Amino acid sequence: MKPLKHLTLILAASAFAALLIAAMFALPPPTVNLAASVAADMDRSGTAHPVTAVLLNFRGYDTLLEIGVLLLALLVVLAVSPREQHAGSAAAEPVLQMLARIAVPLMLLAAGYLLWAGAYRPGGAFQAGAVLGAAAVLLFLAGLLPGWNAPTLRLRWGLAGGFLVFLAVAAALLGQGALLRYPPEAAGALILLIEAALTVSLGLILAGLFLFLS
Amino acid sequence: MTTGLIFACAGAILFTMGVAGVMLLDHLLRRILAFNLMGSGVFLVLVGLAQRAGNPDPVPQAMVITGIVVAVAATALALALARRLFTLSGGYTLPETPDD
């Protein structure tokens, strides 16, 4: 009966895809123009790139919850992964190690650039954090960084730091009348502070999701 | 037919492939990959539909980058759970339900 079931499911999925595509062709043009309202408020946002402005100013709430979700996921990974066994990375090839030693400083530089570039072009905390996390994973795969067993106190502060800084800024600005409404003259500095903290924490969390599991 | 609409159609196809994969595949790792495929399809639809008139919209793009990071975290969580299942049961498939 298995092939028949598969065939039915595949046919149903194809029909579903056709339906979705037909629905998208029939969709009327949007009635609200979000891009225009973002562009209208850009000079009060503290950055010059619309995506960064949406992420950290207009919809900062989402980003705050997002880093919270990441931290939660890491906590659950720590809770379910067994503690005892800890194998260091097996591969210790000299070529890989030398390449990692060359690449990682450049990756740190790229992460710093991406963080800074987020103010006026595509970039920002998430991209920079992803590069940092990838650098840590590369070091681990090359055998230059041991896998993480249990987070030390310093590592815990690093993991939670981005979320805590973001929360502190949000709490300090509650007097503005709404969550995460920055005063326009301080918005740029506050966004840079949050992004820098987020970059470090995101890099550590993304690396931790790999290194605690390894 | 603008490029945005092509992206959205590709996203719809990816999403459906992911749905079929989640339902058809038994190995948990493949299921997690299929689930990621569903997510990527949704992201493509979000970004593609928003710019089907031609000019990109920063709001869905910001939502999608948030979604990508959350999807990475969810994938890692799913992998951790799958590994836990492997250490407990020795396999990467869920137990069959009796009525199946």
Side-chain angles (χ1 to χ4, degrees):
Chain A
M1 262 3 251
K2 208 105 194 235
L4 189 63
K5 191 178 142 196
H6 281 205
L7 196 67
T8 325
L9 256 172
I10 289 170
L11 281 180
S14 313
F16 183 51
L19 200 69
L20 277 180
I21 290 173
M24 282 192 294
F25 273 100
L27 212 58
T31 48
V32 287
N33 192 348
L34 286 173
S37 43
V38 168
D41 277 340
M42 272 310 290
D43 48 343
R44 291 197 292 123
S45 70
T47 75
H49 189 60
V51 174
T52 309
V54 171
L55 269 179
L56 283 149
N57 199 333
F58 306 143
R59 300 282 312 189
Y61 191 70
D62 290 345
T63 310
L64 176 62
L65 289 182
E66 171 194 4
I67 184 78
V69 166
L70 272 173
L71 207 56
L72 195 64
L74 185 78
L75 288 182
V76 180
V77 166
L78 276 174
V80 299
S81 57
R83 274 298 151 75
E84 67 282 7
Q85 116 293 33
H86 175 258
S89 172
E93 295 168 37
V95 177
L96 185 61
Q97 287 196 343
M98 192 196 69
L99 276 178
R101 282 182 211 273
I102 296 173
V104 165
L106 292 176
M107 288 170 94
L108 293 184
L109 186 69
Y113 167 72
L114 278 174
L115 171 63
W116 188 252
Y120 55 92
R121 56 167 60 196
F126 298 117
Q127 291 87 334
V131 174
L132 281 186
V137 171
L138 181 65
L139 280 181
F140 168 73
L141 291 179
L144 296 171
L145 186 73
W148 295 349
N149 244 344
T152 58
L153 185 64
R154 210 156 36 136
L155 185 55
R156 282 177 209 198
W157 276 110
L159 290 169
F163 187 52
L164 292 179
V165 167
F166 210 156
L167 263 188
V169 171
L173 290 178
L174 273 182
Q176 299 279 323
L179 190 66
L180 285 170
R181 177 184 294 167
Y182 313 116
E185 65 278 3
L190 283 174
I191 286 176
L192 186 61
L193 170 72
I194 292 172
E195 287 228 53
L198 279 185
T199 302
V200 176
S201 278
L202 273 170
L204 286 174
I205 289 175
L206 291 178
L209 288 175
F210 193 95
L211 293 182
F212 286 128
L213 272 178
S214 62
Chain B
M1 180 133 173
T2 58
T3 45
L5 209 50
I6 296 177
F7 282 139
C9 291
I13 293 170
L14 278 182
F15 176 79
T16 327
M17 283 167 68
V19 172
V22 167
M23 289 197 284
L24 288 177
L25 301 170
D26 283 332
H27 197 285
L28 278 180
L29 201 56
R30 294 179 186 219
R31 266 195 194 177
I32 293 169
L33 283 177
F35 201 72
N36 265 293
L37 204 59
M38 278 171 71
S40 306
V42 171
F43 298 150
L44 263 179
V45 170
L46 271 176
V47 170
L49 270 190
Q51 61 184 41
R52 68 185 188 281
N55 34 347
D57 186 341
V59 178
Q61 290 190 5
M63 300 291 114
V64 165
I65 197 173
T66 307
I68 288 173
V69 179
V70 171
V72 168
T75 307
L77 181 55
L79 289 175
L81 291 176
R83 258 185 55 156
R84 188 79 187 131
L85 183 78
F86 182 76
T87 47
L88 289 180
S89 72
Y92 275 114
T93 49
L94 293 175
E96 292 279 320
T97 45
D99 60 87
D100 198 20

